[in-house]
Amino acid sequence: MKTILFVAAATVALAACGSNEEPAPEPLDTATPADTTLGSTATGDMTGTYEVQMADGSVTMQQINADGTYVDTMPDGTETERGTWRQEGSQMCFDPEGTDPEECYAGGAPGSDGRFQMRDADGNTTATVRKVDGNGVAAETTM
């Protein structure tokens, strides 16, 4: 499921967090991509679990691993996809196992609740993403 791939890109949007400066809140529909350098997060760590809500309202989970792999699942734990991820400039790119091509996504700046929108190469919003703990509870973010 390619749509889950941008969950990791959501991780990139969290790169705006970790600064001592208080960022101005941006609406979720902003088209401005966040600063997404890997080392710019509070911990420099992009790993974790992300909840991705697709435009049609469906929800998937994505686990981003430190070894450069990811696993997408349904909320009930059923695996739907796995592959590798990498950062390419301001985007997160996901290469699923099998014949599906790699796709890259950019994340918008996180809102006050930590959610951000993922955009495809054409600038279309594809999903709303938030980092969660392993149980699906919103993770604490320091902004």
Side-chain angles (χ1 to χ4, degrees):
M1 181 181 284
K2 293 178 188 176
T3 54
I4 298 175
L5 297 180
F6 40 72
V7 172
T11 306
V12 174
L14 291 175
C17 299
S19 172
N20 288 336
E21 297 178 14
E22 197 61 36
E26 293 188 39
L28 284 179
D29 63 348
T30 181
T32 306
D35 171 23
T36 54
T37 55
L38 242 177
S40 67
T41 63
T43 64
D45 185 0
M46 304 300 284
T47 62
T49 303
Y50 296 85
E51 177 187 75
V52 181
Q53 183 173 13
M54 310 307 291
D56 67 2
S58 62
V59 175
T60 57
M61 306 300 285
Q62 186 172 61
Q63 177 66 41
I64 303 296
N65 302 310
D67 67 357
T69 61
Y70 71 91
V71 178
D72 295 338
T73 61
M74 300 303 295
D76 69 3
T78 304
E79 185 176 315
T80 58
E81 183 175 291
R82 64 177 46 237
T84 58
W85 67 273
R86 65 184 176 85
Q87 184 176 5
E88 181 68 33
S90 64
Q91 297 184 335
M92 291 291 291
C93 298
F94 301 89
D95 189 8
E97 290 179 351
T99 60
D100 288 337
E102 177 182 77
E103 292 187 4
C104 297
Y105 301 91
S112 60
D113 65 355
R115 294 176 193 264
F116 57 96
Q117 291 184 335
M118 295 308 303
R119 300 186 185 280
D120 64 16
D122 296 326
N124 300 313
T125 299
T126 56
T128 300
V129 180
R130 71 180 176 132
K131 189 170 186 175
V132 297
D133 68 14
N135 298 315
V137 177
E140 296 285 329
T141 56
T142 305
M143 300 186 68

